[in-house]
Amino acid sequence: MAPAHESPCQMMRRLAKAQGAEIGRTEKRIDELRKKIGDLQAQPVPDAAAIAALRQAAESLEKKLEDDRLSLSTLEDVITENC
């Protein structure tokens, strides 16, 4: 919860910091999924359905990551221009 005395610039900076942390978590999750995909592909009999599901999840997270980065960039531009 934001403090009652938080200025608009402070709020935007806090949101940008939180967005940056979320981007980091998403990047970590994508890396974990890619590792799992690689591990499954290395199996003697790869589970094609599991690999496809993991790829779909990774692609979904990559889209989210792209959107989050764009959102953060826009927020940083607003902060630069106004704070």
Side-chain angles (χ1 to χ4, degrees), residues 15-79:
L15 292 173
K17 183 177 178 181
Q19 187 70 30
E22 177 64 21
I23 287 170
R25 286 188 295 274
T26 302
E27 289 171 335
K28 183 178 178 185
R29 182 65 181 138
I30 291 169
D31 289 343
E32 290 169 355
L33 290 173
R34 288 181 180 152
K35 183 182 180 317
K36 286 181 183 181
I37 291 168
D39 291 346
L40 286 173
Q41 289 174 328
Q43 297 294 319
V45 180
D47 183 347
I51 291 169
L54 290 173
R55 279 189 179 142
Q56 184 176 12
E59 288 171 6
S60 176
L61 285 174
E62 287 167 352
K63 175 65 175 139
K64 177 188 180 310
L65 182 61
E66 180 182 325
D67 292 344
D68 288 350
R69 285 179 175 156
L70 179 59
S71 175
L72 178 58
S73 176
T74 301
L75 181 55
E76 288 173 337
D77 289 346
V78 169
I79 291 168

